[in-house]
Amino acid sequence: MIKRLIDKILGKDPSKPPRAAAGGRKPRVPTGKRVDVPASEHGIDPSLVDDRAVKVCTTLQEAGFEAYIVGGAVRDLLVGLRPKDFDVATNATPEQVKSLFRRAFIIGRRFRIVHVVFGRGRDNDVIEVSTFRAYLDADAAEQVAGNEKTSRSELAGKSHVVDGSGRVLRDNVWGPQDQDSARRDFTVNAMYYDPSTGVVVDYHGGIKDIKKKVLRMIGVPDVRYREDPVRIIRVVRFAAKLNFEIEAKTREPLLAMSELLANVPQSRLFDEMIKLLQTGHAQASLDQLRKLGLDRGVFPILDAVFDEARRHPGREQFVKLALNDTDRRVSEGKPVAPSFLLACLLWHDVLDHWKRNQARGEPAFPALQSATDAVFDARIGDISGRGKLASDRREIWTMQPRFDKLVGSGPLTLVEQPRFRAGFDFLRLRAQTGEADQQLATWWEDFSLADNDERRELMDVARQQESAKRAAQGPRAGGRSASHASTGAGSGAELPAFEDGGESAVPAAKKRRRRRRKPSEGEGGAVESHCAPNDGGDSGD
């Protein structure tokens, strides 16, 4: 209130951003030179363009505004890929955009954007629309001492604000298209495609860099990384996804600037890590992190994978299989879920904690529950979607000992669980690395595909083999089952047993006609992704 009064006395308009940096210096804007590239030269296939994105552009243009498909969608179209997401950029303000569409919502604080929604329920699609933004360097912005959480009152009503390190906390100053292009991150992400004319607008030689397979930062790299440290992760992801080289000046500051990632909210870092691992190039992304020296201290989850690989001989192979399986599913157009991937990455951490808890005398199931909570808290932290992620990966982990019980009502109950397919896929990965019995995985695959009569037959065979084993073992067979004892044979990752009062043995696989079954929606751990939508910062995904 006092600050506003002082501003009024001094003749300042708080609704307008500072026009120049300290000392009267105008911010240097690397606007580049506009080049309109016709369809005959860039070769974009219009059939790869989403009809809803075209409709949004057409509606805005018919209302008298400029409108283009922008960012990563244009980049992917230029390399011949079908983009996963389509973003639109326009000179219309968020309020003007919202007024043109029946189902449109203004979201975001750091970057105010509009979500135009098509369809209903789980089948809906969102086209993200952002307004052209002005390029303002950190010296021209207001500065706060804290961050998004600690300085909320100071951020209220402000359009362009940075924190003490120069990281942009608010960027809602509208401007011309050339400045909007300049404030995007890499040249290959700073192009605009007009679906009505087929022209690509290129200010920074993005098409040329795509042909050279080079990632180049717009402006001074260390300044741009300071504005948004997440660009450090984005350059790794794009290099892995596109198989591009990182230009020398863009690459040099990466390691020194990586300490700035400590200022980024955990939720945003987590979202970037998930994108890194779920874009179909997970192994290539990890290789890039190692190559650039960013494989330690950036993501707590990946620290668990990298730092402790030597403690578990089977861990590296297990994680590699999980990442390759994720890449395969993405390439086949199948859904992937953060919860399944997290369950794979953190499994050996859980095993360690579980065994230690039981060694201290805790019963098996409570020991597993406390192990899962401890690992999740240590490696995940406070993120959006935490509750859903926690419940999903808990189900996957706690299913594993239940797979050992092949008689009684257990199998019939387990196979009907909504997350059964995810738990079974996890068991199958464990079997591939020798951590679980391959015959056990085969039995459950047969059981899941069988009809009721075939399931009863499988359980009868399991019961007979269990009885025969008990008779052979004598009175000492009252404890753990043979399948429990052999679950982790040869891997050093033996599963503790649940005290469920029953034992089982893995029956030999019996050849039978398998019924063809339509895969469930949850196959492979597939649930809705918890990645937050692009916040409009660089529109380069």
Side-chain angles (χ1 to χ4, degrees), residues 200-265:
V200 169
V201 179
D202 185 1
Y203 287 92
H204 302 281
I207 291 179
K208 192 177 296 184
D209 284 346
I210 283 178
K211 290 179 179 178
K212 293 179 180 178
K213 294 191 172 184
V214 169
L215 282 173
R216 180 165 54 90
M217 182 71 77
I218 297 170
V220 181
D222 59 347
V223 173
R224 306 308 307 279
Y225 290 132
R226 196 172 293 279
E227 290 173 352
D228 185 3
V230 165
R231 287 170 177 155
I232 295 167
I233 309 304
R234 289 165 64 83
V235 73
V236 173
R237 174 155 56 92
F238 295 141
K241 176 183 177 179
L242 301 169
N243 195 25
F244 280 18
E245 286 295 320
I246 303 173
E247 182 247 357
K249 290 181 180 179
T250 302
R251 184 180 63 248
E252 285 168 6
L254 284 173
L255 194 55
M257 290 287 165
S258 63
E259 63 185 30
L260 296 173
L261 289 167
N263 299 327
V264 177

Side-chain angles (χ1 to χ4, degrees), residues 137-410:
D137 67 14
D139 290 334
E142 295 185 65
Q143 183 176 318
V144 297
N147 55 37
E148 295 93 332
K149 289 187 176 181
T150 61
S151 301
R152 284 183 179 176
S153 59
E154 295 179 69
L155 291 169
K158 295 181 180 177
S159 299
H160 188 217
V161 186
V162 298
D163 67 9
S165 67
R167 183 168 65 93
V168 178
L169 303 181
R170 290 287 186 274
D171 185 8
N172 291 305
V173 184
W174 317 135
Q177 186 186 44
D178 60 350
Q179 290 194 26
D180 184 76
S181 175
R183 57 164 292 282
R184 294 176 184 273
D185 50 12
F186 309 106
T187 60
V188 298
N189 291 338
M191 291 173 284
Y192 305 78
Y193 174 65
D194 184 346
S196 63
T197 64
V199 168
V200 169
V201 179
D202 185 1
Y203 287 92
H204 302 281
I207 291 179
K208 192 177 296 184
D209 284 346
I210 283 178
K211 290 179 179 178
K212 293 179 180 178
K213 294 191 172 184
V214 169
L215 282 173
R216 180 165 54 90
M217 182 71 77
I218 297 170
V220 181
D222 59 347
V223 173
R224 306 308 307 279
Y225 290 132
R226 196 172 293 279
E227 290 173 352
D228 185 3
V230 165
R231 287 170 177 155
I232 295 167
I233 309 304
R234 289 165 64 83
V235 73
V236 173
R237 174 155 56 92
F238 295 141
K241 176 183 177 179
L242 301 169
N243 195 25
F244 280 18
E245 286 295 320
I246 303 173
E247 182 247 357
K249 290 181 180 179
T250 302
R251 184 180 63 248
E252 285 168 6
L254 284 173
L255 194 55
M257 290 287 165
S258 63
E259 63 185 30
L260 296 173
L261 289 167
N263 299 327
V264 177
Q266 282 189 336
S267 287
R268 191 159 180 241
L269 267 185
F270 178 82
D271 294 339
E272 288 297 327
M273 187 208 68
I274 291 299
K275 289 178 184 178
L276 197 73
L277 298 178
Q278 291 194 173
T279 53
H281 306 84
Q283 195 61 54
S285 297
L286 295 189
D287 292 342
Q288 276 288 343
L289 286 173
R290 287 192 184 98
K291 180 180 176 181
L292 297 169
L294 299 172
D295 53 337
R296 299 284 204 285
V298 177
F299 303 115
I301 296 170
L302 296 186
D303 285 347
V305 176
F306 289 129
D307 293 346
E308 299 180 23
R310 293 184 183 88
R311 295 189 190 178
H312 302 285
R315 174 180 221 152
E316 194 167 352
Q317 184 187 5
F318 183 81
V319 170
K320 187 171 183 178
L321 281 172
L323 294 177
N324 288 341
D325 191 60
T326 299
D327 289 347
R328 175 188 61 80
R329 291 184 65 83
V330 172
S331 69
E332 294 173 357
K334 295 179 179 178
V336 292
S339 54
F340 185 80
L341 193 54
L342 290 178
C344 294
L345 296 178
L346 299 178
W347 170 238
H348 290 81
D349 265 13
V350 171
L351 275 179
D352 278 349
H353 279 71
W354 191 7
K355 291 176 182 178
R356 285 200 296 269
N357 291 345
Q358 285 197 298
R360 289 194 293 263
E362 290 186 41
F365 190 68
L368 176 56
Q369 286 185 312
S370 59
T372 61
D373 291 341
V375 170
F376 197 75
D377 289 342
R379 300 298 188 184
I380 305 296
D382 182 19
I383 60 166
S384 59
R386 172 189 167 92
K388 176 65 174 170
L389 285 172
S391 62
D392 286 346
R393 53 87 196 165
R394 183 194 291 270
E395 283 189 66
I396 291 170
W397 288 335
T398 55
M399 272 186 198
Q400 300 312 302
R402 295 176 65 189
F403 281 116
D404 287 335
K405 190 174 181 181
L406 307 183
V407 297
S409 62

Side-chain angles (χ1 to χ4, degrees), residues 92-109:
T93 66
E95 290 76 17
Q96 289 169 330
V97 174
K98 186 177 185 302
S99 68
L100 293 174
F101 299 93
R102 187 169 59 86
R103 297 184 66 210
F105 308 92
I106 298 175
I107 68 165
R109 292 191 184 95

Side-chain angles (χ1 to χ4, degrees), residues 387-445:
K388 176 65 174 170
L389 285 172
S391 62
D392 286 346
R393 53 87 196 165
R394 183 194 291 270
E395 283 189 66
I396 291 170
W397 288 335
T398 55
M399 272 186 198
Q400 300 312 302
R402 295 176 65 189
F403 281 116
D404 287 335
K405 190 174 181 181
L406 307 183
V407 297
S409 62
L412 294 172
T413 302
L414 185 57
V415 80
E416 297 301 325
Q417 293 286 332
R419 302 285 298 159
F420 167 79
R421 188 68 199 188
F424 168 70
D425 283 348
F426 194 87
L427 171 68
R428 188 166 53 184
L429 284 177
R430 291 177 53 229
Q432 284 181 261
T433 60
E435 183 183 303
D437 191 333
Q438 184 60 58
Q439 283 189 340
L440 183 67
T442 301
W443 189 93
W444 276 102
E445 183 175 11

